[in-house]
Amino acid sequence: MAMDHILPFRSFDWEKETWDDYKKKLEQHFMVYSVEEGMKKTMFIDDCDSKTYTLLRGLCQPKTPAQKSYKELCDLLTQYFSISSNVDNEANQCSAGSSSTSCQQQQSSSMQGRSSQHGQIPQSTDPLPCSSGSATIRTNFPTPDEETEAKIHQFSRYINLQDDETDTVVIVQVFKDLDIEPKYYHAAISQLFLDNIDRDSRLRDLVALVISEMFEQKVITKADYLHALEEMFYMADDLIGDIPQLYENLASFYVTLLKQRYITLSNVRNAAQCVLQRSGATLLKELLLQYEALYGKDATIMLWYDSFLCLTDFIKIGSPETAAQYLTDANLGYLFEDLSMEAVCNHVQYLLKANVKFLQIYNWLSRYVSRQRKASNEFIRTITRAVIEHCIEDKATLNESEFIKWFPILQKYIDGRPERELNAMYAIQRLMVELEHPQNLMQIIMEGILYNDILKEGIALWLESTDPLEESGKRTCLEGITRFIEMFIYELIEDAEE
C-alpha cells in the first residue's frame, strides 16, 4: 500500500505504556494497512517523538537509526527497556517494604554462596592479558637431569644476588640464555619458590616480579606456574613447622599475578586442594590481606566477586556464616559491603573509555553496586559524574558524539524521576566547581542535556533550589549559562502554551 494511504500511528508514550505493549499495537497497525517490511522502519522513525528518537540515536552508535533495520531498532529498544525494568524492580525491592538491613543481608548472602546465582552473570569486563598458559595444557612435568638441575640452581642464586634496582627484563634474559628446555620450566619456578620462601620479603617480591615478566614475555605457561605452586602446597605440612608464617610468605608469590590476571583465585584454590581442609582459611585470609595491602579494599572486593567462589570453597571450618565471621574477625568484613562510589566512578569511566557495550556496563554495576545503593542519590550523582566527566575533553569542552553515545546510561538510571534529575544537576555543578568553571563548558553541557531531552524537570528544580548545602559554586555556574536560562525559560513557556 502507498504511504499516502496509510494513516500515521501515534508516538510511543513512555509514561503511559510499556514498550512491549506499544510494539504490539504498532505491529497490528502495520498488519491492518498491509505495510511492507521495507516501509516499517521509515514509518516507525517518522512516528518517533524527540525523546524516543534521541534514545535510538544513542543506542545505534556509531551508526544512525536510518542505517539499522526495523527489527534491529525494535530489538535495541526491547533490550533497553528490559534492562530499565530490571533496575526498577531492584530499586522497588529495596525501597518498598524492604529495610536497609534486609538489603545488606541479601548482599552478605550472595557473598556466602553465589555458585548458582553468579553463574548467570557475565564475566568481568576487564581486559585479560594474553598468556600462553591460557592455551597450553600439560600433564607431563619431568624431573630435570643433572645438567639442567645445575642451571636451575645457578639461576636461583643469580636472583638472590640482585638488588631492588635490577631490571626484571634483564633477569628473564639471563634465564633464557641458560638454554633450559621448556619442559623443565616448572622445576625452575619450584626452585625459586623453595629458595626464597623463608627469605626476606624483598626477595619474594622480586621472584614474583620476575615470574610476572616471564608471563609477559610468554616464556612460561600457566601450567608451569600452577604445577610449581601445587608442589609447594604438597610440601606445606613439612615446611610450616620451620616457617610458621608459610601462607603469608606464599601469598607473596601469587598476589601480583592475581592482580595482573595471569592466574585466578580459582587456580590458587585448585592448586591448594591438598591443604584446604586444614589450612584453607589461613591461606585465603593471608592472600586477601596481602592483596588489600597492595591494591586496596575495592580491588580486593572485585577480586573475590570475580572469582565466583563461595567462602566455604576455601574455609572448611563449618557453615557459610562461620566462614563469614572468620573473615570479619580478620578485618575482612568489608568483602560483604559495596564498593566505594569513588571506585564505581573510576571503573565506569574505564569501561566508557574502553568503549564496551552498554549491557556490559549494566552488568558490571549490577554485580558491584547493591540494589539499595542503585536507588540512592549518591549513586545518581556518581553515575552522572562518570558519564559527564568522560565526555569532557581537556577540561574545557564537551565531546558531543561521546555524550550522544553514552547519555542513555543516565536516562536508564535517572528514569525521568525529578529527584534523581535534581541530583544529577548537583553532580554537574560539583564537577564544574572542581574544574574551576571552564569558560562556556557549563553552557555547552546544558544545551546538550536540553537537546537530548533529559533532566528537564531537574534543571527547573535546580534553578529554583535554595538548599544551603548545595550553594557552593552555583552562582558562578548560573552566571555562565545566562543564554541557556533564557532559552530554557522560553521553551517552558512554549510547552505551557501547547
Side-chain angles (χ1 to χ4, degrees):
M1 184 179 291
M3 285 276 290
D4 54 357
H5 293 128
I6 302 174
L7 291 176
F9 195 64
R10 59 179 172 76
S11 300
F12 171 46
D13 189 333
W14 296 36
E15 305 297 328
K16 296 180 180 179
E17 61 188 335
T18 67
W19 162 249
D20 285 342
D21 287 343
Y22 174 81
K23 183 185 173 189
K24 289 175 184 176
K25 293 172 184 175
L26 177 62
E27 292 288 355
Q28 187 175 20
H29 178 79
F30 287 157
M31 184 175 66
V32 168
Y33 286 96
S34 301
V35 178
E36 296 175 1
E37 192 66 31
M39 296 171 58
K40 289 182 180 180
K41 177 181 71 176
T42 301
M43 292 185 64
F44 174 56
I45 292 176
D46 285 345
D47 290 335
C48 283
D49 60 10
S50 61
K51 184 176 181 181
T52 304
Y53 184 73
T54 303
L55 172 62
L56 275 174
R57 281 209 336 256
L59 295 177
C60 289
Q61 286 289 332
K63 295 184 178 181
T64 66
Q67 293 173 304
K68 297 280 190 179
S69 68
Y70 169 71
K71 182 180 183 304
E72 287 173 330
L73 294 177
C74 289
D75 288 345
L76 285 170
L77 288 171
T78 298
Q79 182 184 60
Y80 174 85
F81 287 108
S82 174
I83 292 172
S84 295
S85 176
N86 289 341
V87 172
D88 288 341
N89 291 339
E90 290 177 356
N92 291 337
Q93 288 178 28
C94 284
S95 59
S98 296
S99 67
S100 172
T101 302
S102 67
C103 289
Q104 291 171 356
Q105 287 173 344
Q106 291 172 13
Q107 185 76 357
S108 176
S109 175
S110 71
M111 283 289 298
Q112 294 170 6
R114 303 193 301 279
S115 55
S116 59
Q117 176 188 357
H118 280 205
Q120 301 171 1
I121 298 175
Q123 294 291 326
S124 170
T125 52
D126 289 345
L128 301 181
C130 294
S131 86
S132 55
S134 62
T136 303
I137 300 175
R138 286 181 50 197
T139 58
N140 181 30
F141 298 91
T143 302
D145 55 49
E146 290 186 9
E147 181 182 355
T148 302
E149 191 76 34
K151 291 179 179 180
I152 289 173
H153 281 282
Q154 178 185 345
F155 178 64
S156 184
R157 287 194 298 271
Y158 170 78
I159 286 184
N160 292 159
L161 296 173
Q162 305 311 304
D163 56 34
D164 296 337
E165 303 300 320
T166 305
D167 190 340
T168 54
V169 174
V170 174
I171 296 176
V172 173
Q173 186 58 50
V174 169
F175 179 75
K176 290 178 179 179
D177 291 342
L178 290 171
D179 285 331
I180 298 171
E181 290 186 62
K183 65 182 179 181
Y184 298 127
Y185 284 174
H186 70 94
I189 301 169
S190 292
Q191 196 64 50
L192 290 179
F193 288 163
L194 278 171
D195 287 352
N196 294 280
I197 188 64
D198 197 23
R199 294 183 184 270
D200 62 64
S201 60
R202 181 191 67 82
L203 281 172
R204 292 198 305 275
D205 292 343
L206 179 59
V207 167
L209 292 174
V210 169
I211 292 174
S212 174
E213 184 61 33
M214 286 177 166
F215 270 116
E216 178 68 21
Q217 295 188 32
K218 298 181 174 59
V219 174
I220 62 172
T221 68
K222 183 189 286 190
D224 292 323
Y225 176 84
L226 292 177
H227 182 78
L229 187 61
E230 186 175 17
E231 285 190 333
M232 287 300 298
F233 286 127
Y234 272 114
M235 290 185 278
D237 286 346
D238 294 330
L239 295 172
I240 201 164
D242 296 323
I243 312 173
Q245 73 284 8
L246 175 68
Y247 290 103
E248 177 184 349
N249 291 4
L250 272 174
S252 304
F253 295 138
Y254 41 76
V255 289
T256 300
L257 303 181
L258 286 166
K259 176 64 174 175
Q260 295 171 333
R261 306 296 182 96
Y262 290 125
I263 62 171
T264 67
L265 205 53
S266 291
N267 291 149
V268 175
R269 172 186 174 271
N270 291 338
Q273 284 293 332
C274 61
V275 299
L276 290 181
Q277 196 63 43
R278 298 181 299 279
S279 307
T282 303
L283 187 158
L284 181 63
K285 178 189 72 173
E286 296 299 344
L287 184 161
L288 294 173
L289 288 173
Q290 203 164 133
Y291 199 93
E292 177 197 334
L294 288 173
Y295 307 114
K297 292 182 178 180
D298 289 326
T300 308
I301 293 173
M302 285 193 277
L303 172 73
W304 179 251
Y305 267 58
D306 282 345
S307 73
F308 296 95
L309 294 170
C310 301
L311 295 181
T312 50
D313 287 334
F314 273 99
I315 303 175
K316 310 292 185 180
I317 55 176
S319 66
E321 291 74 21
T322 304
Q325 187 60 52
Y326 175 84
L327 290 185
T328 300
D329 293 342
N331 296 319
L332 290 164
Y334 64 83
L335 288 171
F336 312 118
E337 301 171 0
D338 282 310
L339 289 173
S340 69
M341 283 293 111
E342 180 183 3
V344 170
C345 182
N346 291 339
H347 198 77
V348 168
Q349 289 183 336
Y350 165 78
L351 296 175
L352 295 174
K353 187 175 181 180
N355 199 30
V356 302
K357 292 186 181 297
F358 174 80
L359 189 59
Q360 287 179 275
I361 297 174
Y362 168 75
N363 283 335
W364 190 88
L365 289 169
S366 294
R367 188 189 310 172
Y368 290 113
V369 182
S370 70
R371 293 173 177 178
Q372 184 183 19
R373 289 186 85 186
K374 272 188 288 197
S376 70
N377 293 340
E378 179 188 31
F379 174 75
I380 296 302
R381 295 190 184 205
T382 297
I383 197 68
T384 301
R385 180 192 179 102
V387 172
I388 298 297
E389 190 172 29
H390 167 76
C391 296
I392 294 174
E393 292 184 339
D394 302 322
K395 298 184 178 181
T397 188
L398 186 71
N399 184 324
E400 294 184 18
S401 63
E402 284 294 292
F403 182 76
I404 290 172
K405 182 192 303 181
W406 295 117
F407 87 86
I409 295 175
L410 300 184
Q411 272 189 321
K412 176 170 71 69
Y413 288 104
I414 293 172
D415 196 31
R417 303 186 189 190
E419 180 66 21
R420 295 183 183 182
E421 291 188 7
L422 175 58
N423 276 279
M425 285 303 306
Y426 285 146
I428 295 170
Q429 174 187 323
R430 170 52 49 193
L431 182 56
M432 293 303 101
V433 171
E434 293 180 15
L435 294 176
E436 299 181 347
H437 301 282
Q439 187 175 7
N440 295 328
L441 181 57
M442 185 71 171
Q443 174 81 22
I444 296 169
I445 291 173
M446 298 300 281
E447 288 175 356
I449 288 172
L450 190 61
Y451 176 75
N452 288 287
D453 199 26
I454 54 175
L455 308 189
K456 199 166 187 178
E457 287 188 70
I459 293 171
L461 291 171
W462 178 70
L463 292 173
E464 296 170 359
S465 172
T466 57
D467 187 341
L469 297 178
E470 305 293 347
E471 283 299 304
S472 176
K474 184 176 179 180
R475 176 173 297 185
T476 306
C477 286
L478 291 172
E479 290 172 353
I481 59 170
T482 52
R483 180 163 54 89
F484 168 81
I485 294 174
E486 293 173 1
M487 179 175 63
F488 181 70
I489 293 174
Y490 176 77
E491 187 166 312
L492 288 180
I493 294 172
E494 276 197 331
D495 289 346
E497 290 176 350
E498 290 178 1

